[in-house]
Amino acid sequence: MESNQRYYARRAAEERAAASRSMTAAAREWHAKLALQFAARAAAACDATATAA
């Protein structure tokens, strides 16, 4: 099973790629926003894992 940190990091990368492929500015902004949110979640999951160990 995939860890939360890896899932969020993968989703952030997917959203960055989607942003670069987007045809409209609105779509680019939306995907970029999602990428930032997933990256923040990945960092938080990584921090939570580090403090739990």
Side-chain angles (χ1 to χ4, degrees), residues 7-40:
Y7 171 78
Y8 291 136
R10 180 174 54 82
R11 288 291 291 127
E14 289 172 355
E15 289 300 332
R16 284 191 296 272
S20 69
R21 292 189 307 265
S22 295
M23 300 293 275
T24 65
R28 273 190 299 278
E29 289 174 17
W30 180 255
H31 287 294
K33 177 182 172 185
L34 287 174
L36 289 174
Q37 290 175 353
F38 280 121

